[in-house]
Amino acid sequence: ALASLPLHGDRLSSVCKALEGKAHVMPDDFDGYSVGSISSSTNTGPSNPRLVLYALFTARGAMKDAARASLGESRRLERVVFQRFVSAENAFIADVNDNVVSDDTEVVHVATALAVSFEQLVGSWLVTLNAMTLCDSGTRFAREGNGAANTNVMDADTDSGSGEEDVFDAAGGVDGTNLTKRRRRKGPEKDATTIGEVRRQYVLSAARLELLVAGASPGELCFTDSFDETQVTNLVTALVTHARFGSATAVAVSWAEGERLTKLLCLVAATLAARAALAQTKRSGKNLSSRDFRETLNSYETTSFVDVTKLGVLATGGGVLGPSDVAPEQFVDPDAAWQNLRLFLEKHDGETRNHKLSEIAARTAFAASATIRIPQWLIARFTGGSEPHGILSQGMAHRGKNPTALLNAYVSYDRLEDAARLAIREVAYFKDAPATERTKCAVSWFPEPVLVDLCERVGGVPELAGLAEALTRVMGHRKRMAEADGAKLVEMM
């Protein structure tokens, strides 16, 4: 109701000062609903002054100040979450050390209270993120404090919110004459919280919430004073262990970069591939269909220390940070598992990572089962499909593809038949190319030591005698052509 009143000028400034003062002295354990519960209509307790400020600023289009109000609420909820985390961790430790069999009532109570606080924190970070997103470019940051009480931020004439400032350059002389005016982007204020940091905190809180609802203990939430590289790895590992792959990927992308990010994504890719391979092996042994897996999964109930009936839609409506195949290992549908892996690789793997994730996925599948055959779409990520024309002169050093990585994976796991067929296919494409195409780049590359070793190993298996003969033939033909093409090049020089 206060947000809709026609407040302007000094009256509006006085209201903002009063609300800021109430927010400043408000205890951390305030029971009023938070900014994250802005849509709640069932709460009849005292109003949260930061929520009132947020509504007041939003109604007048002052999104920078709305972001500052919700940021203050997020920081308060962070302190509440930490206090409840300590209580939950102590209750879990006491329950583990207690030799008397109990019904875990206290553990469920404190874990549920922690989950409720996490849900409020996630909602508050999301509101702050949305408010900052609606700010002008260059002003997407906020800082806690009484900024609204000290400045007339609601007055459009005193703050353009453009995130720029006037700079004067001297066009000539040193006497200050002939100044040229230009605009320069202003950076974030000192001690300000940027939109990037808010996004990372949102991802971190949402991942911990999903992990807690999935049945993890408080010790698995990686709750420390500083969230460093080790904690990022531990949290991603815990999320992967509980099959929260969407959250694990979001945490990795938000909190890591470069080689560290690739290593974390490799962990996710390997786990997805292992789940798919093991599920396919079990289906082959039991002759089950996808419908059978879905019917079995519907009868499965997850185990968690959290009473999910006390949570809202944010925590119980599915993956907060993205969909995840949360089915336990024995109920994984192989078709869905392979599809999840494919979507993951298409989004996060590519030339910039030299298809490292695809290689890890293939090697994990081979290690999980000695008889499994990986899908054709995964093979195509290495070879480029059935007709890699236009890159013949490069041999097996394809730009954007890496058939050698798949060949090495086949050989490493004694998949000699698959390795031989892949080698014959790659060498034969080069052999059948015209001379102008073969010599266009002057060089071509093939993993000669791997191919020679493969010929010897395939030749030692009587069942693969035909493949050994074909591989030897195409390799000999390619060698003779390479020598002939080289001689022609020498003559032309």
Side-chain angles (χ1 to χ4, degrees), residues 145-426:
N146 297 328
N150 298 327
T151 59
N152 293 324
V153 296
M154 304 301 298
D155 189 351
D157 295 334
T158 61
D159 184 9
S160 63
S162 62
E164 297 179 342
E165 61 181 352
D166 293 333
V167 179
F168 295 92
D169 296 328
V174 294
D175 56 355
T177 60
N178 299 327
L179 297 181
T180 302
K181 182 179 178 181
R182 62 183 177 88
R183 304 290 285 174
R184 183 177 67 183
R185 180 77 63 187
K186 292 190 298 185
E189 301 173 1
K190 186 178 180 180
D191 299 329
T193 301
T194 64
I195 188 174
E197 182 178 350
V198 170
R199 184 179 291 109
R200 287 191 295 272
Q201 292 298 332
Y202 162 70
V203 169
L204 178 60
S205 301
R208 285 169 169 166
L209 173 61
E210 287 197 29
L211 195 57
L212 189 61
V213 175
S217 65
E220 296 180 78
L221 302 183
C222 302
F223 225 117
T224 58
D225 295 335
S226 62
F227 194 65
D228 54 14
E229 297 182 4
T230 303
Q231 297 301 321
V232 173
T233 303
N234 293 340
L235 182 59
V236 171
T237 303
L239 289 165
V240 167
T241 302
H242 289 271
R244 261 52 182 185
F245 301 107
S247 297
T249 303
V251 171
V253 172
S254 300
W255 287 87
E257 59 184 4
E259 189 64 25
R260 287 183 55 239
L261 175 58
T262 300
K263 290 181 179 179
L264 293 177
L265 294 179
C266 283
L267 174 62
V268 179
T271 309
L272 286 171
R275 283 169 64 89
L278 293 174
Q280 182 173 329
T281 303
K282 291 180 180 179
R283 171 191 279 188
S284 302
K286 298 181 180 180
N287 194 24
L288 297 176
S289 63
S290 296
R291 180 178 180 181
D292 296 329
F293 276 96
R294 287 193 297 270
E295 291 178 352
T296 306
L297 179 59
N298 292 335
S299 62
Y300 174 79
E301 297 183 358
T302 58
T303 302
S304 175
F305 295 104
V306 177
D307 183 3
V308 295
T309 60
K310 302 295 180 60
L311 302 178
V313 178
L314 186 62
T316 59
V320 180
L321 300 174
S324 294
D325 182 9
V326 298
E329 182 178 326
Q330 63 270 29
F331 299 125
V332 175
D333 181 1
D335 294 336
W338 284 118
Q339 182 64 15
N340 291 337
L341 175 61
R342 182 175 187 175
L343 295 176
F344 174 81
L345 294 178
E346 289 177 351
K347 184 175 182 179
H348 298 286
D349 197 20
E351 295 183 25
T352 56
R353 294 191 171 94
N354 197 26
H355 296 274
K356 183 67 175 179
L357 306 185
S358 299
E359 180 182 356
I360 291 295
R363 286 180 171 272
T364 304
F366 295 152
S369 174
T371 59
I372 193 173
R373 291 185 177 275
I374 59 177
Q376 288 297 321
W377 61 262
L378 183 53
I379 297 176
R381 295 189 63 84
F382 295 94
T383 63
S386 58
E387 296 182 359
H389 295 292
I391 52 178
L392 298 174
S393 58
Q394 301 173 17
M396 290 181 70
H398 296 184
R399 174 172 297 178
K401 303 297 176 182
N402 194 357
T404 305
L406 180 59
L407 181 65
N408 288 329
Y410 279 144
V411 174
S412 298
Y413 290 92
D414 294 327
R415 303 294 184 97
L416 300 182
E417 180 179 357
D418 294 329
R421 294 185 184 279
L422 174 63
I424 292 172
R425 174 181 175 277
E426 293 292 328

Side-chain angles (χ1 to χ4, degrees), residues 80-86 88-89 109-119 209 212 218 221 223:
V80 173
V81 166
F82 181 76
Q83 294 170 2
R84 294 190 174 180
F85 163 76
V86 173
E89 189 175 36
H109 174 73
V110 295
T112 303
L114 178 59
V116 170
S117 298
F118 260 126
E119 187 177 32
L209 173 61
L212 189 61
L221 302 183
F223 225 117

